[in-house]
Amino acid sequence: MPFTRMCTTKSMLTVEHEGNPSWPGPTIHVHKGDRALIQVHNSGDYGVTIHWHGVKQPRNPWYDGPEYVTQMPIQPGQSLTYEVIFSDEEGTLWWHAHSDWSRATVHGAIVIKPPRETSYPYHTRPDDEHVLVLGEWYNGDVMKNIEYAMKTGGDPNISDAYAINGLLGPSDACPTDESYTLSVKYGKTYLLRIVNAVMNEEMFFGIADHKITVVGQDGAYITPITDVEYIMITPGQTMDVLLTANQAPSYYYIVATPFMDDSRGAPFDKNHTSAILMYTGATRPTTIPSPSLPDSGDRDAASNFTSQIKSLNPADVPTDDIKRILIAVSVKQILCPEHNCSGPQNNRLAASLNNISFQNPTTDILYSYYCNLPLDKDFPNMPPVQYNYTGSDADKYKIPSEGTKALMIDYGANVEIVFQGTNVGNAENHPMHLHGYSFFLVGTGDGNWDPDTSPGTYNTTYPPAVNTIGVPKNGWAAIRFKADNPGVWFMHCHLERHSSWGMSGVIIVKDGEGPDQKILPPPRHFLNCRHK
């Protein structure tokens, strides 16, 4: 459908719901524990899949959505009805396309209300609620953008603007661009459900002259973080915040700006986007105040916020018989035989987990696993070569292998994954996302994770239960979970360029012994295993 932003009109893939094409797409409303059947019909020009980000889909990987992992793309003219099984999630999640870069324009929020006849655990009950989706606008075709970058081996073009609910706010490049307007009444409290659907940047977010209270993240409640002036939210994350309209009735800017913590100047969109908080009955002032947000490289500001996030109640964190996995997260290079690629040193940009740059298979991995077809199950529990991951000589390890390997985990295992950032290529913050699970973020730190000292710094009492976490630049993040959801689950960086370069992997949790510990039977549309 045609959309006009930045004084530019282009055709882009979007979602039409009940006759209305929209960007972002429609919000899905459910209650905790519901089951939703969602029909997706592809009227576009290329294959597409949909992922229900943060929905655990217990025993139901068939409808998780990442292409070539749990399904093949829905082809143009074809339909698929997804069965989305909600379990203990409560709060805000989101859905998005999971095929190449189509998620740039195909995404929307999921609002999961408390069980019927119950309410939120907030001291202040919100009078109303609103969804705010942070996105990116590209003047060009996003699919052609990544296709060209992958062909040449260089960086994809950066976005031309950020958006709040599909509107960019006025800018020097196009003064006629509109701002999303959020209308409030003095004295009322509002629940804002914030989704970061941006492709490649973490974002700071704030509202001029108003402090907010953060009460939820990634479909779970947290200990309220009161009276903050800004949040930092990574691509893939959601946050629920309470806003009380307690300032002089007027107009105030809502602003989102990028946070980019890297070591070698990777290109990123340096713009900001704005919406307007408008008090009912207020007269628009000559000058609308803006919030003072941290600079784009302010690492301390980002960590000062994220370090405050804790679970609402004591968490049931696995502490015994831990299966520990160390995964080195790196931006790397693949050598070009004729040295004519557009990446560093005329090579091809790549990325890896434990020195393996993920390659899409020709048959989706879930099908291969379920049907006992050939599948490489040798993803290593440690980097193949141990070195000073954050040292100055880490670039010696810049060339990865390429492949499609799965990490096998027994049902019921208590798992710890330590994501170790490296100084290979370009050290930066990596938002890592694991499908099929909420996990506990038990610790983060700078430098190399140390098996003797780092676990002593963990928070195993009130760690947040999340599905996407930021691995600090040249640092580490440790997560824990019980492997009680059998299936094939994708694990990847939610910076889209890194995922495209291969910063991805697959975890397979085996079936348990009991009838409720096995993958659900395949759906009716599933093709019979070819060798049976």
Side-chain angles (χ1 to χ4, degrees):
M1 300 296 293
F3 281 75
T4 301
R5 303 287 190 273
M6 293 283 288
C7 298
T8 299
T9 300
K10 71 169 185 176
S11 178
M12 71 185 200
L13 188 68
T14 187
V15 173
E16 182 181 69
H17 176 60
E18 297 179 345
N20 298 310
S22 61
W23 172 61
T27 297
I28 296 170
H29 295 267
V30 297
H31 284 268
K32 181 179 180 179
D34 280 354
R35 182 176 69 110
L37 299 177
I38 303 170
Q39 186 184 63
V40 177
H41 178 75
N42 184 6
S43 297
D45 298 328
Y46 43 80
V48 70
T49 66
I50 302 294
H51 169 54
W52 319 97
H53 187 113
V55 181
K56 299 178 184 67
Q57 290 278 41
R59 304 167 54 215
N60 191 34
W62 309 106
Y63 294 110
D64 188 49
E67 65 175 356
Y68 304 111
V69 177
T70 61
Q71 71 172 95
M72 301 302 285
I74 306 167
Q75 294 304 309
Q78 300 298 310
S79 299
L80 175 64
T81 298
Y82 285 86
E83 178 185 40
V84 185
I85 301 174
F86 296 89
S87 53
D88 60 354
E89 305 91 354
E90 189 173 332
T92 307
L93 296 173
W94 65 303
W95 58 266
H96 61 82
H98 214 304
S99 34
D100 287 324
W101 278 32
S102 53
R103 84 163 176 89
T105 55
V106 179
H107 57 249
I110 302 174
V111 171
I112 308 168
K113 293 289 188 71
R116 291 164 179 82
E117 311 304 326
T118 63
S119 188
Y120 305 116
Y122 314 144
H123 292 301
T124 302
R125 182 182 177 89
D127 297 289
D128 201 356
E129 56 185 67
H130 300 275
V131 170
L132 299 177
V133 179
L134 310 182
E136 276 178 300
W137 169 265
Y138 291 79
N139 284 335
D141 186 311
V142 290
M143 297 295 275
K144 290 181 179 178
N145 179 18
I146 188 58
E147 180 182 353
Y148 181 78
M150 295 301 290
K151 181 179 179 179
T152 61
D155 262 308
N157 292 334
I158 62 174
S159 58
D160 293 285
Y162 298 108
I164 297 177
N165 283 358
L167 297 175
L168 315 184
S171 68
D172 293 339
C174 185
T176 60
D177 270 325
E178 298 178 358
S179 297
Y180 176 77
T181 299
L182 177 60
S183 180
V184 298
K185 294 181 178 179
Y186 180 82
K188 301 294 186 181
T189 296
Y190 298 85
L191 173 60
L192 306 183
R193 301 177 180 272
I194 303 168
V195 177
N196 187 355
V198 170
M199 297 288 280
N200 288 304
E201 287 86 18
E202 291 94 354
M203 302 295 287
F204 291 116
F205 171 96
I207 304 173
D209 296 343
H210 290 73
K211 293 185 178 180
I212 55 180
T213 296
V214 188
V215 293
Q217 180 179 355
D218 285 4
Y221 299 115
I222 65 171
T223 298
I225 308 173
T226 59
D227 295 332
V228 298
E229 295 182 347
Y230 67 90
I231 63 172
M232 197 286 283
I233 181 169
T234 74
Q237 285 182 339
T238 63
M239 288 188 184
D240 295 344
V241 307
L242 294 176
L243 163 72
T244 298
N246 56 8
Q247 298 301 302
S250 186
Y251 285 55
Y252 301 86
Y253 272 128
I254 304 168
V255 176
T257 61
F259 167 59
M260 183 61 170
D261 185 21
D262 81 323
S263 59
R264 304 186 191 182
F268 70 99
D269 185 344
K270 298 179 175 62
N271 293 302
H272 74 274
T273 184
S274 61
I276 292 175
L277 184 74
M278 180 188 72
Y279 280 70
T280 301
T283 301
R284 186 183 181 109
T286 304
T287 301
I288 301 175
S290 291
S292 179
L293 295 179
D295 293 336
S296 61
D298 193 337
R299 185 182 188 184
D300 289 340
S303 61
N304 287 343
F305 170 73
T306 57
S307 64
Q308 299 180 68
I309 301 173
K310 296 178 175 61
S311 63
L312 179 61
N313 299 306
D316 186 18
V317 179
T319 55
D320 299 322
D321 300 320
I322 301 296
K323 176 182 175 65
R324 182 168 284 153
I325 299 159
L326 180 67
I327 297 180
V329 183
S330 305
V331 174
K332 297 200 171 189
Q333 300 175 27
I334 293 175
L335 298 176
C336 287
E338 297 179 2
H339 300 289
N340 60 353
C341 290
S342 300
Q345 300 169 304
N346 296 320
N347 290 324
R348 178 182 302 279
L349 280 164
S352 69
L353 299 179
N354 274 358
N355 204 47
I356 301 166
S357 186
F358 183 83
Q359 304 296 300
N360 283 334
T362 55
T363 300
D364 71 81
I365 296 170
L366 176 57
Y367 182 97
S368 296
Y369 173 65
Y370 187 80
C371 293
N372 293 316
L373 298 176
L375 181 64
D376 191 338
K377 302 176 182 178
D378 292 330
F379 187 92
N381 288 340
M382 293 281 293
V385 176
Q386 284 80 59
Y387 59 96
N388 181 3
Y389 305 110
T390 58
S392 58
D393 62 345
D395 268 357
K396 292 190 299 185
Y397 306 97
K398 68 183 179 183
I399 309 300
S401 62
E402 298 177 81
T404 309
K405 295 177 180 287
L407 173 63
M408 307 300 296
I409 296 177
D410 290 334
Y411 182 91
N414 293 329
V415 180
E416 176 178 302
I417 297 178
V418 178
F419 293 105
Q420 175 65 63
T422 73
N423 201 33
V424 180
N426 185 31
E428 60 181 286
N429 190 297
H430 297 285
M432 297 302 299
H433 172 48
L434 174 60
H435 293 213
Y437 285 87
S438 284
F439 47 76
F440 297 108
L441 175 61
V442 295
T444 61
D446 294 326
N448 296 331
W449 179 84
D450 187 305
D452 295 323
T453 61
S454 297
T457 68
Y458 287 0
N459 168 22
T460 57
T461 305
Y462 286 91
V466 291
N467 61 63
T468 307
I469 52 100
V471 180
K473 179 182 76 174
N474 278 331
W476 55 268
I479 68 172
R480 284 188 183 176
F481 60 94
K482 179 175 282 293
D484 55 4
N485 190 12
V488 173
W489 306 112
F490 201 34
M491 173 177 62
H492 62 98
C493 181
H494 229 281
L495 299 182
E496 209 65 26
R497 67 185 189 280
H498 290 175
S499 185
S500 297
W501 293 339
M503 194 176 285
S504 306
V506 171
I507 286 178
I508 297 180
V509 177
K510 302 175 187 177
D511 281 348
E513 296 296 328
D516 294 333
Q517 299 175 351
K518 302 181 187 299
I519 296 175
L520 291 173
R524 285 179 294 178
H525 72 268
F526 184 80
L527 299 176
N528 291 329
C529 295
R530 291 190 291 267
H531 66 295
K532 291 185 177 179

